[in-house]
Amino acid sequence: MSQPFRTEKGGRIDRSQQLTFTFDGEEMQGHQGDTLASALLANGVHLVGRSFKYHRPRGILTAGSEEPNALVGVYRNGDQTPNLRATQVELYQGLEAISQNRFPSLGFDVGAVNDRLSMFFPAGFYYKTFMWPKSFWDKVYEPVIRAAAGLGKPPKNPDHDHYGNLYAHCDVLVAGSGPAGLAAALAAAETGAKVLLCDEQAEFGGSLLTEANATIDGKAPADWVADAVAKLQAMDNVTLLSRTTAFGYFAHNYIALVERVTEHLPTPDPKLPRERLWQVRAKEVVIAAGSIERPMVFPENDRPGILLAEAGRTYLNRYGVKVGHKVVVATACDTAWQAAFDLADHGVEVAAIVEMRETPPESLMSIAKARGIRVEAGCIVTGTLGRKRIKSALLGRLMTSGQVASGGQVDCDALLMSGGWTPTVSLYSQSRGKVVWDADKGAYVPGKSVQKERSVGAAKGLYGLQATLEDGYAAGEEAAKAATGKSATITYATATGGEAGDGGTLGALPHDRNASRVKAFVDYQNDVTAKDVKLAVREGMQSIEHIKRYTTTGMATDQGRLSNMNALQIASGALERPMTDVGLTTFRLPYTPTTFGVFAGVARGDFFDPVRKTPSHDWVVDNGGVFEDVGQWKRTWYFPKNGEDMHAAVARECKTVRDSVGLFDASTLGKIEVVGPDSAEFLERMYTNPWKKLAPGRCRYGLLLNDAGFITDDGVIGRLAEDRFHVTTTTGGAPSVFATMEDYLQTEWPDLDVWITSTTEQYAVAAVQGPKAREVIAPFIEGVDLSNDAFPHMSVREATFCGVPCRLFRISFTGELGFEINVPRRHGKMMWETLAKEIEKHSGTTYGTETMHVLRAEKGYIIVGQDTDGTVTPQDAGMTWAIGKKKFDFVGKRGLERPDLVADNRKQFVGLLTKDPKVKLEEGAQITTAETPATGTPAEGHVTSSYYSPALDRSIALAVVKNGHALDGKTLYVPMPEGSIPVEVTGTVFYDKEGARINV
Amino acid sequence: MLLVYCPYCGVSRPETEFSCRGEAHIARPADPSQTSDEDWVNFLYMRSNSKGVYVERWRHIHGCGRFFNAVRNTVSDEFLKFYKTGEPMPDLEELAKEAGK
């Protein structure tokens, strides 16, 4: 067996299953049940990465999700997922992992020169250094920073995994399955409440899987866990989710979980998602998130081989791995002593327990003495030696003067440290609770509950196995009672051992070293030292929020769970203010890094956003049409023939429509059916135009404003009967117009007897436009006399098209004779194909949105949202004719009278003709009075629409210009980088000004 | 994600089924032509935007489509009351007091 640091026996790994994996290409062995971190440690590998900024060699520090150093990339299906915490990556046969942020190799990394040059990289380095010249930002600074700093590299290919999503409801959600969480789940489940228990680890049990010196109900803790889990599993009212992190606590007890479904499997079932998002609405939540150990802040506390004490104990008891053969334990609290004792019991040489407290508890001293362990009380570690792995620790003796005297040197190959424990208040904090300082515990603990949650056990600073269990049971009972009103008689398990003890320290430890030359790390992942925090204070940062952002302490993926308390203490010392005055940064979601994939879920590719297709879609595909996206709609842009480019195709389409006939799919237009005795009154109040006198069978252009007086939508409205209108809206405005109508109807005029229904999807619409339009539709229409006299422009009739009921409008958005035929959607394909065939007989063409735009611009018809921008009134647009001046009220009427809307100098809608007809203006280009205006000159307006007009054989443009209506014939300029373009202001109608072509 | 109660459907549903349409009880003047410029601008744009108890319009847009009103504490996001459009505004101080208990 090639695992020199594996224990002889013990641990929860399956020694019968040997697994082979590689790290940076080197093949190694581990066992089923290992994490990548425990397997690496079993092989004696501590050096697993290089640090973010200084490229210092870094090793595994923790055994949990808070791991700041051991970030690795794992290959799967030819692609690599970066920044996975080795402490969470479960080992499987053939796992392939790499280290990160090193070049050319982990052992020899040229970036490590940053460590030597660290005096040039103080806190706020970027802000101070990379300021000028401006051009250096994208050419030098950015590339250099990107290359030198950072962690893993993003994968190159699109994510080949898929992700699931589930909604769940429960009475009691328990987050965390340590002693408190398990007890809470057991108690709540016993009452019959619907319980969901989740834990981020592969196995339930939390700290109980590490605990070897205690019993629960006379059983070993891990055995009690197994029984408890079996009991919960057998209950129908309990859902157990391992490998599932509660990463976000939102309003109204809505909690997001991510379940890692396949990542631990060597050959996952491809049908299974990689991860699953659980969106849980819980009546009550029990936060049993536990606590994590704090690093001690002493110089060179970041060498590979230095771990947190409880992590060392976890590797030993849970994974059967010794962190070293000769271990120093540095501590300020009781719990780390147990790590030393457990190691000693497994035959590991404990070189010394370096205890910061002058008089450690006698009970611990006697156990140490019995095992022959050297204890250095009143001592701290003042430094470490060894570059890629710790070789020895420097000791310092704390003097009453506050000074530190050298205490010699102890050789070791690993060092375990413990600065005490920090309750994990992240979820509580996310629930918007405010943490409070508990001076006795020396910790921030959850304060008042804001939502329906309660923190239990170590998460609220309560330690000791028996106390934690009791707290868990009680909380489970209470939560179930609150959620369901039910209770049951719960038998509490009783524990022996697992005492918490006390002690702990915060902040940087004193030392006798040259302060300017040594680094004591506070935030490992972001390479923030105690010095950086002090420097930030010296440079004027007062608030912890500023210190955090200036130094980046606490901004790593653990969100400061490891570092915050130490940073806070250092800042408080530097500011000479009590810690509670310095404040605490807010813990935000996600609790641990969460993949984008799980948020995206199935909303990728075709499912990212629905695609809306019109009935002509397949025909257009078959006939080589080009689509453009208009919101969710696929609309045909143009129909190139015989290798035409867009310009040629559009010119041909325009000419054909004006000369003979064109067919256009107008199905995307919004359609609203307005029905009821008061429907005319309703439209009268909604639109600017008068509707009451509109005769059934006639149409009118309708202009819609908001109450501020600005144009928001337009469309033709046909009256089908006294009490029935067919309203059309713009394609993009359909939902908002419908919502606005509902709003006024329901909340302002509930007395009106009107129903409105969105019918956009109910009709397919074909627009047939051009001099031969009547001839094209005539063979298929029955029930209407199509003659100009009987069916004039702006009329509507109910008829049939090829025997199918239709609404036939005689309307035009081209300035030509035009019809729009509305048939039930299911007949749209038939209608389109029938008409497409028919127009060929008349040398007609199908045309797309681009031609539609050109033709309407030639006629000066506005497009709401292109020629208007939410600040244009009907007067500005030259459309006062659309306003029913005698009306008592309509939406926007009062708004139009506001002083600013009737003032001079408003931008008004005009036409522009370039002096050189070949020059086409850019849409959005600014317009000035001076040919070459001085820098800073405000524009008079801007170009809103600009096209080449085939009918005029020249460019045309529409624009909004200050006082434009008074500038007819005047010359203005459009300054462009290639030179200023002179333009003449004209009216907005360029073609067939008298409108004769429409009435034939 | 908020849990919103629709007083027409009689059910609580996630926020994504609804749309919030701003402060409630902003009545459109009955005769706008008799409204001063200042009053009209206040009607258009001025909202109390209060910190704490706030009355909002919500629409069950992906459900029954109806508008209704809700009293929400903008600090805690707690809803204190849901009621139908047209019903009078509840006594906010009273509601806040009850919620504070």
Side-chain angles (χ1 to χ4, degrees):
Chain A
M1 162 164 143
S2 57
Q3 300 172 42
F5 288 85
R6 190 69 77 177
T7 57
E8 294 291 315
K9 56 181 172 39
R12 304 183 56 74
I13 46 161
D14 180 354
R15 288 171 195 258
S16 67
Q17 281 200 63
Q18 181 131 320
L19 304 176
T20 305
F21 69 101
T22 64
F23 181 64
D24 279 344
E26 193 185 332
E27 198 165 282
M28 293 180 223
Q29 313 293 323
H31 292 295
Q32 188 66 40
D34 262 326
T35 62
L36 176 60
S38 70
L40 285 167
L41 291 175
N43 286 276
V45 177
H46 277 264
L47 171 63
V48 289
R50 290 276 174 168
S51 72
F52 184 71
K53 193 161 135 189
Y54 302 125
H55 289 247
R56 285 170 70 95
R58 287 284 166 81
I60 297 156
L61 181 73
T62 74
S65 65
E66 67 274 21
E67 174 60 37
N69 291 340
L71 304 184
V72 297
V74 173
Y75 276 94
R76 186 149 236 177
N77 301 339
D79 228 327
Q80 173 254 155
T81 305
N83 300 336
L84 295 175
R85 289 154 300 282
T87 49
Q88 282 192 301
V89 174
E90 291 176 53
L91 202 66
Y92 54 79
Q93 176 60 33
L95 182 135
E96 215 183 317
I98 53 162
S99 59
Q100 303 183 152
N101 200 31
R102 79 288 189 262
F103 176 83
S105 73
L106 184 56
F108 175 75
D109 174 20
V110 294
V113 69
N114 282 5
D115 196 22
R116 305 285 158 116
L117 302 175
S118 62
M119 62 280 256
F120 300 116
F121 304 112
F125 162 66
Y126 295 166
Y127 308 121
K128 292 168 185 162
T129 314
F130 297 145
M131 299 202 295
W132 48 261
K134 201 176 153 196
S135 62
F136 270 39
W137 257 110
D138 28 341
K139 295 197 177 63
V140 182
Y141 299 145
E142 276 277 318
V144 168
I145 296 168
R146 289 262 176 268
L151 299 166
K153 295 207 166 37
K156 291 194 174 62
N157 298 312
D159 194 343
H160 43 65
D161 283 304
H162 62 279
Y163 299 81
N165 178 44
L166 266 175
Y167 296 92
H169 296 262
C170 62
D171 295 320
V172 180
L173 169 72
V174 182
S177 70
L182 271 181
L186 285 167
E190 201 69 40
T191 68
K194 207 174 156 198
V195 175
L196 199 157
L197 172 66
C198 69
D199 194 287
E200 65 178 353
Q201 298 208 18
E203 278 191 281
F204 294 105
S207 62
L208 294 175
L209 303 178
T210 294
E211 188 53 72
N213 303 83
T215 64
I216 305 176
D217 279 352
K219 297 175 222 173
D223 294 339
W224 182 83
V225 170
D227 292 349
V229 170
K231 186 174 176 191
L232 290 169
Q233 243 154 8
M235 298 172 91
D236 290 339
N237 55 329
V238 178
T239 306
L240 292 174
L241 292 173
S242 60
R243 301 187 178 92
T244 303
T245 307
F247 69 85
Y249 197 134
F250 303 83
H252 296 183
N253 265 26
Y254 171 80
I255 295 98
L257 322 177
V258 59
E259 179 189 8
R260 288 167 289 280
V261 183
T262 60
E263 212 153 60
H264 61 290
L265 301 170
T267 48
D269 181 346
K271 288 203 280 292
L272 285 175
R274 177 188 180 204
E275 292 174 344
R276 198 177 275 140
L277 179 67
W278 287 72
Q279 303 188 54
V280 182
R281 187 78 68 171
K283 290 202 182 110
E284 294 284 332
V285 175
V286 176
I287 300 173
S291 61
I292 58 172
E293 211 168 10
R294 275 193 304 279
M296 296 178 104
V297 184
F298 54 79
E300 297 114 8
N301 60 346
D302 66 326
R303 295 212 193 281
I306 300 180
L307 290 88
L308 291 169
E310 190 69 5
R313 196 165 165 243
T314 297
Y315 286 119
L316 185 74
N317 293 340
R318 182 164 167 189
Y319 298 102
V321 174
K322 298 179 268 194
V323 294
H325 290 316
K326 189 172 181 186
V327 180
V328 168
V329 176
T331 181
C333 68
D334 296 353
T335 52
W337 289 64
Q338 195 57 53
F341 302 155
D342 287 0
L343 283 169
D345 293 347
H346 276 89
V348 175
E349 183 188 341
V350 177
I353 295 174
V354 183
E355 170 60 75
M356 192 176 170
R357 293 173 292 180
E358 191 66 46
T359 47
E362 197 46 52
S363 54
L364 296 174
M365 288 294 282
S366 60
I367 302 173
K369 197 173 174 191
R371 283 169 171 75
I373 299 172
R374 169 182 165 196
V375 175
E376 296 287 347
C379 271
I380 50 172
V381 175
T382 58
T384 61
L385 303 176
R387 180 125 183 102
K388 291 177 204 163
R389 176 145 182 192
I390 186 169
K391 281 187 188 139
S392 56
L394 307 176
L395 304 192
R397 193 161 298 283
L398 291 164
M399 315 285 280
T400 41
S401 62
Q403 304 287 95
V404 178
S406 173
Q409 187 170 330
V410 185
D411 289 346
C412 59
D413 64 352
L415 185 149
L416 298 182
M417 60 178 167
S418 178
W421 294 83
T422 306
T424 302
V425 294
S426 306
L427 276 182
Y428 168 76
S429 195
Q430 286 178 21
S431 80
R432 302 193 191 176
K434 294 268 173 279
V435 292
V436 292
W437 177 250
D438 185 324
D440 289 345
K441 292 176 177 136
Y444 278 105
V445 296
K448 213 175 120 206
S449 287
V450 175
Q451 297 202 39
K452 288 174 178 156
E453 58 76 39
R454 61 210 75 213
S455 293
V456 292
K460 69 172 185 196
L462 182 73
Y463 302 108
L465 189 50
Q466 178 62 28
T468 306
L469 281 170
E470 274 172 24
D471 193 42
Y473 281 115
E477 281 187 282
E478 273 171 37
K481 181 95 200 270
T484 66
K486 285 184 238 162
S487 48
T489 315
I490 315 288
T491 316
Y492 288 18
T494 46
T496 61
E499 280 94 8
D502 49 20
T505 184
L506 287 171
L509 304 180
H511 57 77
D512 56 348
R513 312 275 304 281
N514 180 344
S516 67
R517 301 201 70 99
V518 298
K519 293 192 191 75
F521 286 90
V522 177
D523 185 320
Y524 288 78
Q525 198 175 97
N526 280 352
D527 263 354
V528 182
T529 64
K531 251 187 302 189
D532 291 329
V533 178
K534 288 177 195 157
L535 182 67
V537 170
R538 279 210 304 282
E539 293 186 350
M541 307 298 148
Q542 298 273 319
S543 150
I544 192 68
E545 295 285 359
H546 291 150
I547 293 168
K548 168 178 167 177
R549 281 154 187 81
Y550 197 59
T551 62
T552 72
T553 186
M555 285 169 72
T557 54
D558 71 332
Q559 292 201 35
R561 271 182 282 148
L562 281 169
S563 59
N564 266 359
M565 294 310 295
N566 284 329
L568 209 52
Q569 171 61 34
I570 295 165
S572 129
L575 287 163
E576 294 173 358
R577 293 214 311 261
M579 209 164 85
T580 45
D581 284 5
V582 182
L584 183 66
T585 58
T586 309
F587 291 98
R588 300 188 194 281
L589 61 109
Y591 175 68
T592 47
T594 307
T595 59
F596 282 116
V598 83
F599 290 111
V602 296
R604 302 163 62 179
D606 288 346
F607 295 113
F608 179 69
D609 202 24
V611 172
R612 300 172 83 182
K613 295 174 182 172
T614 69
S616 69
H617 193 91
D618 293 344
W619 188 94
V620 174
V621 171
D622 292 344
N623 286 272
V626 178
F627 291 98
E628 71 165 333
D629 290 334
V630 180
Q632 293 171 332
W633 287 104
K634 294 279 176 201
R635 298 193 75 181
T636 314
W637 200 5
Y638 58 98
F639 290 89
K641 295 257 189 293
N642 308 319
E644 285 173 329
D645 62 7
M646 179 168 164
H647 181 79
V650 170
R652 175 184 49 75
E653 288 172 16
C654 287
K655 190 166 171 1
T656 310
V657 173
R658 297 247 183 261
D659 289 350
S660 57
V661 67
L663 171 64
F664 175 72
D665 189 339
S667 302
T668 64
L669 280 188
K671 292 170 276 291
I672 299 168
E673 191 89 344
V674 178
V675 185
D678 294 326
S679 48
E681 173 66 26
F682 175 61
L683 291 178
E684 189 94 351
R685 295 186 193 181
M686 287 305 303
Y687 282 83
T688 62
N689 324 62
W691 300 97
K692 286 181 179 166
K693 286 182 185 155
L694 186 71
R698 297 309 307 263
C699 306
R700 183 164 283 163
Y701 172 81
L703 192 59
L704 187 69
L705 312 183
N706 54 23
D707 251 330
F710 300 121
I711 296 172
T712 57
D713 202 81
D714 68 348
V716 169
I717 299 173
R719 188 170 200 171
L720 296 162
E722 278 298 324
D723 62 350
R724 182 177 293 267
F725 290 83
H726 179 116
V727 174
T728 65
T729 74
T730 59
T731 296
S736 65
V737 171
F738 186 72
T740 304
M741 284 185 174
E742 277 288 354
D743 195 343
Y744 280 98
L745 202 50
Q746 287 186 34
T747 68
E748 295 296 347
W749 310 314
D751 52 309
L752 292 184
D753 198 355
V754 178
W755 295 269
I756 63 170
T757 310
S758 168
T759 53
T760 304
E761 302 275 1
Q762 269 58 51
Y763 290 105
V765 186
V768 182
Q769 303 273 312
K772 293 183 183 165
R774 188 178 286 115
E775 292 158 59
V776 169
I777 66 164
F780 312 108
I781 298 288
E782 274 179 39
V784 181
D785 176 353
L786 292 176
S787 70
N788 191 38
D789 290 340
F791 189 44
H793 182 57
M794 297 304 263
S795 299
V796 59
R797 297 284 183 277
E798 295 193 81
T800 63
F801 178 91
C802 292
V804 171
C806 75
R807 285 179 180 177
L808 178 65
F809 285 80
R810 185 172 164 195
I811 46 177
S812 173
F813 199 45
T814 57
E816 303 295 331
L817 167 66
F819 299 91
E820 288 186 7
I821 313 165
N822 291 247
V823 296
R825 165 87 191 200
R826 63 186 178 281
H827 299 295
K829 192 166 186 278
M830 174 276 289
M831 172 171 70
W832 179 266
E833 286 173 1
T834 304
L835 291 169
K837 208 172 195 180
E838 186 66 15
I839 55 164
E840 280 184 20
K841 294 184 195 161
H842 302 272
S843 310
T845 183
T846 51
Y847 67 97
T849 49
E850 188 65 19
T851 292
M852 178 267 282
H853 276 112
V854 175
L855 296 175
R856 68 87 201 177
E858 288 174 345
K859 291 294 295 175
Y861 299 149
I862 62 161
I863 295 223
V864 173
Q866 176 171 341
D867 299 303
T868 72
D869 59 3
T871 67
V872 177
T873 67
Q875 292 100 315
D876 298 339
M879 296 170 80
T880 42
W881 52 265
I883 294 176
K885 292 176 190 64
K886 291 180 195 153
K887 286 164 64 168
F888 169 71
D889 186 20
F890 58 81
V891 174
K893 185 175 199 289
R894 178 64 186 83
L896 285 176
E897 291 160 16
R898 290 189 292 148
D900 283 353
L901 271 65
V902 295
D904 282 343
N905 277 327
R906 289 196 60 81
K907 287 181 183 164
Q908 295 168 332
F909 193 51
V910 295
L912 294 181
L913 289 174
T914 50
K915 301 273 175 167
D916 178 349
K918 289 196 193 69
V919 174
K920 193 179 86 121
L921 297 171
E922 291 275 344
E923 287 178 357
Q926 303 294 299
I927 299 162
T928 58
T929 45
E931 185 171 2
T932 48
T935 304
T937 306
E940 295 294 300
H942 68 273
V943 178
T944 60
S945 294
S946 174
Y947 308 94
Y948 164 72
S949 161
L952 278 71
D953 190 23
R954 61 153 300 138
S955 69
I956 57 169
L958 298 166
V960 287
V961 177
K962 215 176 270 179
N963 284 334
H965 293 157
L967 297 176
D968 201 34
K970 294 270 183 342
T971 298
L972 296 173
Y973 297 90
V974 177
M976 297 298 286
E978 305 78 35
S980 203
I981 303 168
V983 296
E984 184 186 325
V985 179
T986 70
T988 53
V989 184
F990 298 98
Y991 181 74
D992 184 27
K993 290 185 183 160
E994 56 286 353
R997 300 179 65 90
I998 237 166
N999 292 309
V1000 291
Chain B
M1 185 177 334
L2 306 182
L3 200 57
V4 182
Y5 176 82
C6 172
Y8 293 97
C9 297
V11 293
S12 290
R13 288 287 183 269
E15 190 184 340
T16 45
E17 252 181 51
F18 300 83
S19 73
C20 181
R21 303 295 295 250
E23 187 165 14
H25 298 287
I26 309 278
R28 190 173 185 272
D31 185 355
S33 67
Q34 297 304 306
T35 311
S36 70
D37 283 334
E38 196 187 339
D39 287 348
W40 191 254
V41 165
N42 284 342
F43 157 69
L44 286 179
Y45 300 117
M46 301 312 283
R47 298 294 179 264
S48 66
N49 195 27
S50 48
K51 182 178 178 181
V53 178
Y54 194 62
V55 193
E56 292 169 327
R57 293 166 1 110
W58 284 78
R59 185 178 176 210
H60 196 183
I61 188 160
H62 299 299
C64 65
R66 302 294 294 270
F67 282 83
F68 57 91
N69 294 329
V71 183
R72 183 173 62 97
N73 184 327
T74 56
V75 178
S76 67
D77 265 342
E78 187 189 359
F79 282 111
L80 307 181
K81 191 177 173 70
F82 295 96
Y83 57 101
K84 292 176 181 175
T85 299
E87 290 177 12
M89 180 154 73
D91 184 336
L92 298 185
E93 274 179 37
E94 194 63 30
L95 275 180
K97 234 186 270 170
E98 264 174 52
K101 271 178 199 166

